[in-house]
Every structure is written in C-alpha cells, then in structure tokens.
Amino acid sequence: MTADHRSVDLKRGFDLVGGTALLLLLAPVLGAAALSLALTREGPLLRRRTVAGRGGQPFTMLTLRTRGPLAALPLLLHVVRGQMSLVGPCPLSPGHRECTGEARRRLSVRPGLTGPWQISDRSDLPWEERELLDLHYVDHHWLGMDLAVLARTLPAVRRRRLRRASARAARLA
C-alpha cells in the first residue's frame, strides 16, 4: 500500500469516526431544527443541490431550509456515506468552471463541510482567492491540516456572525 493510499484511508477513517460522532451528538439539534421548520414553514424541509464529488461523481447534497450553521447539519450524513469529507474544497456544481480543465484536480478529493475558504479571516473573499485556497488544500492536505482547519472553523463562523450583527446594528442606528 502506498503512502497516498494510507493517507486516503486515514482521512476516510477520520471522516467516518468524526462524522458519526458529530451526527450522534448533534442528532437532537438536527431533529429539533427539522421539527421547528416543519411546524413553522410550508414546503420541503430539505434543500437539494447537485454537486460534484470525488472524481467528478455528482450527488445530491442536502441542507436544511434555514439560514445559519443549522442548515449544514444534514451534510454530516454525506460525510458518513463517503460523499463528502469533514474538511475539503468548497462543494461546487458539476458544471462549474473549476470542475473542468486544469482546476479539475480539485475533484481528486471529496468536497468538505469546511475548508480553508471557511476559516479565512478575510470576509467576502473574491472567488479567485477561494479557488486558490481550495487548490492549495488539494495539493498539500494532510491530517494535521484538517485538524487545524476543524479547530479554527467554529471561531471563524462566530467572528463572521458577530461582524454581520455589528454591521446590521450600525445600519439600524
């Protein structure tokens, strides 16, 4: 077995254990969010979007029809199923320009729930910078990088939410 295969197996094992643990831990939150949506909104609970997975294999990504981090909870199911990773490039539609040509190498790994684009402290990154962050991840990822990205994700999301709340408050003042 080559080092690349061991790395892929280690990453998949980490995703499976971590995704399952998070899914079990957050199942009550996911259930409560789904129940709340069912009681307060009409229509489907889940939003469906076709994205390109590893090797360009399309799959239907499911998110809750709500805003904020709760919307992403169903993505843990895709991690456990092996369609996504806890950390990876941003999920894109199969027809996106980054899924073709030289940038197609992003499809050599599974898309992630989070990734370098998520933890960047620069708000509203231009697409070109997100693309560079994703390609750097694809070319240089390892388990230590994944752990660092995971550790920085929640603080980055909190900072972004605080900035948005401050901006809204400033507009209302």
Side-chain angles (χ1 to χ4, degrees):
M1 184 179 278
T2 67
D4 283 344
H5 287 289
R6 282 192 297 272
S7 176
V8 169
D9 290 344
L10 182 62
K11 182 170 176 60
R12 177 66 190 126
F14 179 76
D15 285 342
L16 186 58
V17 170
T20 301
L22 285 170
L23 194 56
L24 291 172
L25 180 70
L26 296 171
V29 176
L30 178 58
L35 180 61
S36 173
L37 284 171
L39 295 174
T40 59
R41 295 188 182 173
E42 291 185 27
L45 296 178
L46 297 171
R47 186 172 281 132
R48 297 173 187 323
R49 181 176 144 214
T50 301
V51 297
R54 187 171 179 209
Q57 184 68 37
F59 70 94
T60 302
M61 187 173 80
L62 303 173
T63 55
L64 284 176
R65 292 185 60 84
T66 186
R67 299 173 71 94
L70 292 180
L73 290 178
L75 296 178
L76 289 168
L77 294 168
H78 297 296
V79 172
V80 172
R81 291 177 64 187
Q83 297 168 312
M84 292 183 74
S85 181
L86 291 173
V87 180
C90 182
L92 299 175
S93 64
H96 193 280
R97 68 177 176 81
E98 250 190 280
C99 294
T100 61
E102 196 270 328
R104 184 172 170 78
R105 74 180 191 270
R106 75 182 336 276
L107 299 175
S108 65
V109 298
R110 291 174 181 92
L113 291 176
T114 187
W117 84 92
Q118 180 83 350
I119 62 169
S120 175
D121 278 335
R122 291 166 271 160
S123 61
D124 302 319
L125 282 176
W127 183 254
E128 294 78 19
E129 285 188 48
R130 290 182 191 195
E131 183 178 349
L132 289 174
L133 287 172
D134 277 350
L135 292 176
H136 182 269
Y137 176 83
V138 167
D139 294 339
H140 302 285
H141 72 279
W142 60 291
L143 188 56
M145 180 186 284
D146 283 6
L147 292 172
V149 168
L150 287 169
R152 292 178 56 197
T153 295
L154 285 178
V157 169
R158 281 192 201 115
R159 277 192 305 275
R160 205 167 18 259
R161 292 181 85 195
L162 286 173
R163 277 194 301 263
R164 287 182 189 148
S166 294
R168 274 193 302 268
R171 282 193 307 264
L172 295 174

